[in-house]
Amino acid sequence: YKAGREVMSQSASVINFVDLAGHEKYLKTTIGGLTGNFPDYACLCIGANMGITKMTKEHLGVVLALKIPFFVVLTKIDIAPPKIAQRTKTKLFKILKGRGSRKQPFMVKDQKDVDTVLKNQSAKMTPVFSLSSVTGEGLENLESYLSNLRPRQVWDHQAKNMEFNIEETFSVTGVGLVVSGSVSRGRLVANSRLLLGPFSDGSFKPVLGKTLQRKRVPMGVCNAGEGCAVAIRALKAKENLKRTDVRRGMVLVDPSSDPKPTVSFEADVYVLHHPTTIKENYQAVVHCGLVRQTAKMVRIALRKSKKGTETEEKECCLRTGDKASVLFRFVCRPEVLHEGTTIIFREGTTKGVGKVTKVHCDDLKTTTAFTEIEKRKAEMSAGMSQKSKPRERARIRGGAKKAAPRL
């Protein structure tokens, strides 16, 4: 076992791997890891003896929807029969070349192929490695490819409005509450005053970020794109932060940023699959970064363009393959969202992808984005309540007269 400082000092490049679940039961964990950990690349592992499964197609669809560059690794070639391994490879190439993927698979066999893939990195070319962890066959090609990869995303380290996305919470004896996650923008400095939230009522509480640690090594600064653990405590003496008060998806921000959580937001979505139709008031689980919450489709406006005319919008239902502008509203609590963030919504076999176009910065009590249907229902319920009041009074008066004794 080597310490983090020793590894980083002796390495030309350091790669952080995020192991995600492959079982169908933990698909939400996989989606949360792909949307919340900001990966530069994705590695799709397929057992050569198992073949292409249902979840292989699901994970491939999620990676394609998020537009993350990926490569494929065929493992266990030492125990896979030649016919089964060839069938797996043929089916994989067929899926990658298909209508939904439109990729160009490239089988990597030697160092020359690795150099070719690295020189011609494009959105269409997908490297495919075949290896065995037992015999070591093909491991050199994968190691050479990984060691020459470079970061794909550019992070803003100089941003004034620091934002730290919370992924997990811990309670350490002698330290107190510790949260772990990654910095999405700016720089997180130890012993700095921060705001923690949003809570269920949409409020933020002032806290102190005492110490930072990364890979069990204390650090003074954490830049954008890096992950760390932060020990926090409440600034107010009467407040006591508990682990149950902090949840996944909350943020630590700079007090000068004036954060505004939201319940309603608009997004341009694309329906990947749905067995029937999606109508207004349809509810699905929305994944946006580390945020995972049920949201309702309040308004659906399908964009339809005609030749020689401007794009028109009309209210309708959505089917597989449709694109629309949708107004979402969270059901439980407000969240912090930003325009341009990619979202994934799912419910059962229903899956869709989109991008946030507008954030309304409202809460559950004072929702600003109402639809015509909700207004009509509110007016009808108000009218019914006003009509029922005189009738109730008349019934009470009539009943009192009938119940009066005769003189």
Side-chain angles (χ1 to χ4, degrees):
Y1 177 78
K2 295 183 179 180
R5 289 180 178 176
E6 185 180 356
V7 172
M8 296 183 71
S9 62
Q10 298 178 1
S11 302
S13 62
V14 178
I15 302 175
N16 293 325
F17 289 92
V18 181
D19 185 17
L20 300 176
H23 197 274
E24 183 178 3
K25 181 180 178 181
Y26 306 104
L27 180 60
K28 62 180 182 180
T29 305
T30 303
I31 296 177
L34 289 172
T35 57
N37 288 298
F38 313 109
D40 291 307
Y41 303 91
C43 174
L44 188 63
C45 295
I46 302 174
N49 59 333
M50 298 295 293
I52 308 298
T53 61
K54 175 186 174 183
M55 294 312 299
T56 304
K57 298 178 183 178
E58 291 281 355
H59 295 161
L60 179 60
V62 173
V63 172
L64 291 171
L66 294 174
K67 298 181 180 180
I68 301 175
F70 68 97
F71 57 95
V72 183
V73 177
L74 293 174
T75 62
K76 302 180 182 179
I77 59 174
D78 56 320
I79 61 174
K83 292 184 179 180
I84 301 298
Q86 184 61 33
R87 189 197 312 171
T88 302
K89 176 183 173 183
T90 304
K91 191 173 181 180
L92 172 65
F93 277 46
K94 183 179 179 181
I95 293 174
L96 292 176
K97 293 180 180 178
R99 184 178 178 183
S101 303
R102 299 185 184 276
K103 297 292 183 179
Q104 183 182 354
F106 185 84
M107 198 70 192
V108 179
K109 299 180 181 179
D110 51 19
Q111 184 61 36
K112 186 177 179 180
D113 294 339
V114 173
D115 297 336
T116 303
V117 171
L118 292 172
K119 290 180 181 178
N120 302 310
Q121 283 188 350
S122 62
K124 289 187 177 181
M125 182 174 288
T126 303
V128 180
F129 300 87
S130 59
L131 55 88
S132 170
S133 300
V134 177
T135 62
E137 181 183 354
L139 283 176
E140 294 181 356
N141 298 330
L142 181 60
E143 290 177 358
S144 177
Y145 176 76
L146 292 175
S147 62
N148 288 279
L149 286 177
R150 292 295 174 262
R152 181 176 58 92
Q153 303 181 26
V154 179
W155 300 96
D156 187 6
H157 303 293
Q158 304 300 328
K160 295 182 179 180
N161 299 331
M162 189 281 304
E163 184 172 318
F164 179 85
N165 300 300
I166 297 176
E167 184 177 2
E168 294 183 11
T169 61
F170 307 93
S171 181
V172 181
T173 304
V175 178
L177 180 61
V178 177
V179 296
S180 66
S182 56
V183 181
S184 58
R185 60 182 180 184
R187 302 176 67 188
L188 178 60
V189 184
N191 294 320
S192 58
R193 296 193 174 191
L194 306 168
L195 292 178
L196 172 65
F199 291 88
S200 299
D201 56 352
S203 62
F204 285 79
K205 294 182 179 180
V207 296
L208 177 66
K210 297 185 290 184
T211 56
L212 309 180
Q213 279 193 7
R214 185 183 184 188
K215 300 185 185 301
R216 301 181 181 181
V217 178
M219 55 191 302
V221 179
C222 183
N223 296 318
E226 298 178 351
C228 68
V230 190
I232 61 174
R233 68 171 178 84
L235 283 176
K236 296 182 179 180
K238 295 183 179 180
E239 288 185 353
N240 185 19
L241 280 178
K242 299 180 181 178
R243 184 183 177 185
T244 55
D245 299 333
V246 185
R247 55 178 173 79
R248 178 189 176 100
M250 296 177 73
V251 295
L252 288 170
V253 295
D254 193 84
S256 61
S257 61
D258 189 21
K260 295 181 180 179
T262 183
V263 171
S264 304
F265 66 95
E266 297 181 17
D268 291 337
V269 302
Y270 174 69
V271 182
L272 299 174
H273 174 73
H274 190 272
T276 55
T277 58
I278 297 177
K279 298 182 179 180
E280 291 184 354
N281 294 325
Y282 174 80
Q283 293 187 3
V285 179
V286 174
H287 298 261
C288 184
L290 292 174
V291 174
R292 184 176 65 206
Q293 188 183 159
T294 303
K296 180 171 62 173
M297 293 186 178
V298 179
R299 184 182 68 244
I300 300 175
L302 181 65
R303 295 188 173 182
K304 185 178 180 181
S305 60
K306 298 180 180 179
K307 295 182 179 181
T309 60
E310 296 181 355
T311 303
E312 298 179 356
E313 292 188 358
K314 64 175 185 177
E315 294 183 1
C316 64
C317 56
L318 298 178
R319 297 178 178 85
T320 302
D322 287 347
K323 296 182 179 180
S325 177
V326 179
L327 173 63
F328 289 91
R329 184 178 300 159
F330 288 125
V331 175
C332 300
R333 54 188 175 269
E335 303 284 359
V336 174
L337 300 180
H338 302 287
E339 296 182 1
T341 309
T342 303
I343 67 169
I344 290 181
F345 62 91
R346 68 180 191 90
E347 187 267 328
T349 58
T350 303
K351 291 178 182 64
V353 65
K355 184 168 288 188
V356 179
T357 58
K358 185 178 180 181
V359 179
H360 289 276
C361 299
D362 55 0
D363 53 24
L364 292 172
K365 294 182 179 179
T366 59
T367 306
T368 58
F370 283 105
T371 59
E372 295 296 331
I373 297 176
E374 288 180 330
K375 287 182 180 179
R376 291 173 187 173
K377 288 182 179 180
E379 291 175 358
M380 290 177 63
S381 61
M384 292 294 292
S385 61
Q386 289 178 1
K387 291 180 180 179
S388 61
K389 287 181 180 179
R391 292 181 181 178
E392 290 177 358
R393 292 176 181 176
R395 287 175 185 174
I396 293 171
R397 290 175 182 176
K401 288 182 180 178
K402 290 179 181 179
R406 295 182 181 181
L407 297 175

